[in-house]
Amino acid sequence: MASLTKHPKSPFWTACFAGRDGRQMKRSTKSTDKRDALRIAIELEEVEKQARQGTLTTTQLKKVLNEVAEKVNGDSLATPSVEAYFKDWLSGVGARNSEATLERYGHSVKVFLECLGAKAQKPLTSVTPSDIEAFLNARLNGGSAPKTAIVDVKTLKIAFKRAEAYGVILKNPVSAVRLPKNESSERDVFTQEEVQKLVDAAPGVDWQTLILLGYFVGARLSDCVRLQWENVRPTDGVIVYQQQKTGKKVIVPMHYHIIEHLNHLSTFGTDGFLCPKLAAKGPGGKHGLSESFKRIVIKAGIDPMIVQGKGSRNFTKRTFHSLRHSFNSALANAGVSEEVRMKLTGHSSKAMNAGYTHLEMGALKNAVTSLPLFTQQEKSPAGGGAGEV
């Protein structure tokens, strides 16, 4: 018959009951209430009894434990399925992060659930390090580049870390998995003359604007295409924007070519996007911005440098993102310090002393104006300007 005992130095009651092998067992109930503790002791003894008779299944065990938890705490020990948990986790990601982050996480979750197959419908607690390692190997063997596979596994680690913090699982299964060496393919840069060729080959004013922003502001494609006139600060001579990927606020002084180009835009001074015809388009797909830019590169007579990637797919070394690399490289070649370049690109760096803010802005302006002018003025877009920046 189940009974209770209590150690003088412990606030909790200890359950005493007969084990499946007939021996007397003791387990802490983690309860200070004697009545609740006795309920737990009786249920534990029942579990051992059924186990001794060989009639206890995993489902029945979970049912018994859930009943104990509900009786004592009014709670349930039920664990969500892998698919249900990740669906709930992604809804939280979408509420707190950018659309790009949600899309990236969502893809990692999608391919992971596909790899799990029927196990995706089992409890989250059933996922083991072996499952994570099998997923990683499947991604690598399927032709994904190591960098891509690493991003997928790190996404899972974030999700399981939350489950661990919430007490849904005891240990993060991703922590035991060793990641491969990150050997990512590297982008190439555009020369000053090539950037001018891109502008000349651009099919319309919006693309001219986008290319100039990529090279002279150094922002990512998603940030460039979403820049609006409110991001342009004529009085200060800067463009201020918040990076979609990192959430960082970046301030970039405007180069002469940006000022001149914006002065000639027919939309000068209006509300809305700097590239209104392109703002609604996404980067991916056959008709997306990335593929459109590749066609501009070819039209300009520039080699896009398509090579074999680290995975099974081809890798284009000269994409729109290469303009960001070009921005940073041109500044480096002009002698601009790494610390200032990191500030302009929004890359992680040591925090500058807040007391040097005024001097810092002067250094940033000097850095951007150090970029050389084109040897030949690019063609002005159609439409006269309505004022000066």
Side-chain angles (χ1 to χ4, degrees):
M1 180 69 180
S3 60
L4 298 174
T5 185
K6 190 176 183 183
H7 193 280
K9 295 183 179 181
S10 175
F12 303 124
W13 288 96
T14 298
C16 303
F17 55 94
R20 65 191 69 187
D21 56 2
R23 293 185 301 174
Q24 192 71 5
M25 301 182 68
K26 292 184 178 182
R27 292 287 184 275
S28 174
T29 63
K30 300 297 182 182
S31 176
T32 57
D33 186 283
K34 187 174 182 179
R35 184 174 59 179
D36 290 340
L38 183 58
R39 291 178 182 175
I40 295 174
I42 293 173
E43 294 290 353
L44 289 174
E45 186 172 63
E46 180 62 25
V47 169
E48 290 295 323
K49 178 182 178 182
Q50 292 186 41
R52 182 169 62 251
Q53 296 172 347
T55 60
L56 186 67
T57 65
T58 301
T59 301
Q60 291 171 329
L61 176 59
K62 290 175 65 176
K63 181 176 181 296
V64 171
L65 294 178
N66 271 327
E67 288 175 352
V68 174
E70 289 171 356
K71 287 176 183 177
V72 178
N73 303 319
D75 199 1
S76 174
L77 297 178
T79 304
S81 68
V82 181
E83 184 177 28
Y85 173 79
F86 274 98
K87 182 179 179 180
D88 177 65
W89 177 69
L90 285 175
S91 66
V93 170
R96 297 185 297 271
N97 295 273
S98 68
E99 184 179 339
T101 299
L102 177 60
E103 183 178 354
R104 185 171 71 254
Y105 284 5
H107 180 265
S108 296
V109 169
K110 177 177 179 292
V111 292
F112 175 60
L113 295 179
E114 290 174 351
C115 182
L116 283 180
K119 194 169 185 177
Q121 303 305 320
K122 291 187 176 182
L124 188 69
T125 50
S126 67
V127 178
T128 66
S130 296
D131 294 317
I132 305 300
E133 190 164 8
F135 169 64
L136 174 60
N137 292 336
R139 294 293 282 156
L140 294 173
N141 295 333
S144 295
K147 182 178 180 180
T148 302
I150 289 172
V151 168
D152 288 335
V153 174
K154 285 185 175 181
T155 297
L156 298 182
K157 189 172 186 178
I158 295 171
F160 279 108
K161 183 177 180 181
R162 178 221 191 207
E164 184 180 15
Y166 282 17
V168 179
I169 59 175
L170 295 178
K171 189 174 182 180
N172 192 330
V174 184
S175 300
V177 178
R178 183 178 179 182
L179 295 176
K181 184 178 179 181
N182 184 7
E183 297 180 354
S184 60
S185 300
E186 295 183 358
R187 300 286 179 192
D188 210 309
V189 298
F190 293 106
T191 65
Q192 173 189 321
E193 292 75 21
E194 287 173 331
V195 175
Q196 184 171 350
K197 288 181 180 179
L198 290 173
V199 174
D200 292 339
V205 178
D206 277 24
W207 265 112
Q208 289 180 343
T209 305
L210 197 60
I211 292 169
L212 289 171
L213 289 173
Y215 182 68
F216 287 110
V217 177
R220 298 177 178 87
L221 175 58
S222 58
D223 292 324
C224 286
V225 78
R226 286 178 173 79
L227 284 177
Q228 301 189 41
W229 283 105
E230 65 181 30
N231 297 113
V232 180
R233 308 288 173 83
T235 304
D236 300 322
V238 299
I239 288 179
V240 182
Y241 71 99
Q242 185 174 29
Q243 292 184 331
Q244 248 199 339
K245 182 177 181 179
T246 66
K248 289 182 180 179
K249 180 181 179 181
V250 181
I251 304 174
V252 182
M254 287 187 284
H255 188 274
Y256 167 78
H257 284 306
I258 287 292
I259 296 175
E260 183 188 50
H261 181 80
L262 294 182
N263 279 336
H264 285 85
L265 289 183
S266 59
T267 56
F268 180 88
T270 63
D271 294 330
F273 296 102
L274 298 183
C275 310
K277 294 181 180 179
L278 302 179
K281 291 188 176 183
K286 184 178 180 180
H287 301 291
L289 296 174
S290 295
E291 284 298 316
S292 295
F293 181 78
K294 186 185 295 184
R295 289 191 285 271
I296 294 174
V297 172
I298 295 173
K299 180 183 176 182
I302 301 171
D303 182 8
M305 296 185 179
I306 301 175
V307 298
Q308 175 64 47
K310 297 300 181 182
S312 61
R313 298 180 181 180
N314 288 335
F315 178 78
T316 303
K317 300 185 72 172
R318 283 174 157 183
T319 65
F320 189 92
H321 199 71
S322 296
L323 292 173
R324 179 171 166 83
H325 285 257
S326 303
F327 171 78
N328 190 56
S329 297
L331 290 174
N333 290 330
V336 177
S337 70
E338 183 180 37
E339 189 173 25
V340 173
R341 285 185 282 120
M342 285 183 171
K343 191 70 175 178
L344 289 167
T345 57
H347 290 150
S348 297
S349 63
K350 294 181 180 180
M352 290 185 177
N353 191 308
Y356 289 85
T357 302
H358 179 71
L359 295 176
E360 174 186 310
M361 180 52 64
L364 296 182
K365 288 187 176 181
N366 289 336
V368 173
T369 55
S370 70
L371 289 174
L373 301 178
F374 289 147
T375 55
Q376 180 180 355
Q377 207 71 359
E378 76 272 14
K379 297 178 181 178
S380 298
E388 293 185 354
V389 174

